[in-house]
Amino acid sequence: MRNYSGACALVTGGASGLGLELVRLLAADGARVLATDIHESVDPSLLPNGVDYLRLDVRSDDDWAAARTWVQSHWGHLDVLVNNAGIAVGGRIEAAGMADWDRALANNLMGVVRGCHTFTPMMKERRSGQIVNTASLAGLVHAPAMATYNATKAAVVAVSETVSHELSPFGVDVSVICPSFFRTNLASSLEGADREMEESATKLIDEAPRSAAQVAAAAFARMKAGKHVILTEPDGRVAYGAKRYARPLYDLGMKSAAKRVARGKSPQPGAMQVADRLARARAATS
């Protein structure tokens, strides 16, 4: 198990939601943490004692350069990079505009790419480190009416796998977190044209059974264990397992979800039939 005591860690999107909870867990484990977010400043009481804050817009090359300079001047190296910042975006393919795609790619994908590009040389030079990228279950399981979000998160999974292989000779581990819906402020970033689907997404986030703290705790345990693909919920593991090992059942669930979308409803209940039916099938044969 990895011990973060004394490690130097940078977390993007670290002022709220999953990012903030990971900042708290890293600090509690003894790490020196730089929390970053798009805000100019945050309430000091929000962060644990000893955690520093730096404004970082993950779309900005200048901001990433400033973050690298901060790390070099204060620590001299970086042990852990958590590329967590991202936005919620979605909608049916004919409704999501090109501006929605550009915004999703700039934040969800290129923010991760810029983070890896900025700090990989530092880690390779020391021949040690850990990069943790936040994707989503949507990067593995692709429900309808979410092409924009699914595509960016699938790309984060692909980048993480590629970089994991690429950096393994240098002692750098790479993990990718793939959570399902959980309660967070992510819905506040929705601003696309498909208001009907975005209202459904907001409801799913707000009424999710898990909190950001619960998801962070599950992710953190697997980060410490050095897991590559981190699925933080049982239903997510079942849904991904269905796609890999019970594809007809998976396709049936997605077709059910697509019918719901065609009626203007959320795709989620239909998609989650994948998990429910596979769970029942397993129970029947156990």
Side-chain angles (χ1 to χ4, degrees), residues 58-59 64 83-87 89 101-117 133-135 148-160 163:
V58 297
R59 300 168 296 179
W64 276 110
N83 287 309
N84 170 76
I87 61 170
V89 63
W101 281 93
D102 290 342
R103 193 167 66 94
L105 288 164
N107 284 279
N108 293 352
L109 174 59
M110 295 309 298
V112 170
V113 171
R114 283 186 164 91
C116 294
H117 176 77
N133 300 324
T134 297
T148 330
Y149 191 72
N150 292 350
T152 59
K153 293 303 186 178
V156 171
V157 173
V159 168
S160 300
V163 175

Side-chain angles (χ1 to χ4, degrees), residues 49-125:
N49 290 335
V51 170
D52 291 295
Y53 179 79
L54 181 71
R55 182 189 184 276
L56 171 56
D57 182 341
V58 297
R59 300 168 296 179
S60 167
D61 290 328
D62 289 342
D63 281 9
W64 276 110
R68 181 176 58 236
T69 298
W70 191 101
V71 167
Q72 287 174 330
S73 62
H74 287 78
W75 297 334
H77 70 279
L78 188 69
D79 299 299
V80 184
L81 170 65
V82 182
N83 287 309
N84 170 76
I87 61 170
V89 63
R92 289 161 284 199
I93 190 64
E94 75 277 14
M98 295 304 103
D100 297 323
W101 281 93
D102 290 342
R103 193 167 66 94
L105 288 164
N107 284 279
N108 293 352
L109 174 59
M110 295 309 298
V112 170
V113 171
R114 283 186 164 91
C116 294
H117 176 77
T118 299
F119 284 105
T120 288
M122 194 178 291
M123 292 183 176
K124 287 177 70 173
E125 183 177 354

Side-chain angles (χ1 to χ4, degrees), residues 87-101 103-104 108 138 142-152 181 189-202 204-205 257-258 260-262 264-268:
I87 61 170
V89 63
R92 289 161 284 199
I93 190 64
E94 75 277 14
M98 295 304 103
D100 297 323
W101 281 93
R103 193 167 66 94
N108 293 352
H142 306 137
M146 295 176 59
T148 330
Y149 191 72
N150 292 350
T152 59
F181 286 102
S189 60
L190 288 165
E191 55 181 58
D194 197 341
R195 300 306 305 166
E196 199 170 45
M197 288 298 104
E198 291 193 349
E199 287 172 6
S200 296
T202 299
L204 287 167
I205 293 170
R260 289 182 58 84
V261 170
K265 297 182 179 181
S266 166
Q268 187 66 5

Side-chain angles (χ1 to χ4, degrees), residues 156-209:
V156 171
V157 173
V159 168
S160 300
E161 180 179 341
T162 303
V163 175
S164 174
H165 299 320
E166 186 175 320
L167 297 184
S168 60
F170 299 92
V172 180
D173 295 328
V174 181
S175 298
V176 58
I177 306 174
C178 298
S180 185
F181 286 102
F182 60 95
R183 296 189 302 278
T184 182
N185 64 344
L186 190 63
S188 63
S189 60
L190 288 165
E191 55 181 58
D194 197 341
R195 300 306 305 166
E196 199 170 45
M197 288 298 104
E198 291 193 349
E199 287 172 6
S200 296
T202 299
K203 185 176 180 181
L204 287 167
I205 293 170
D206 291 344
E207 298 179 0

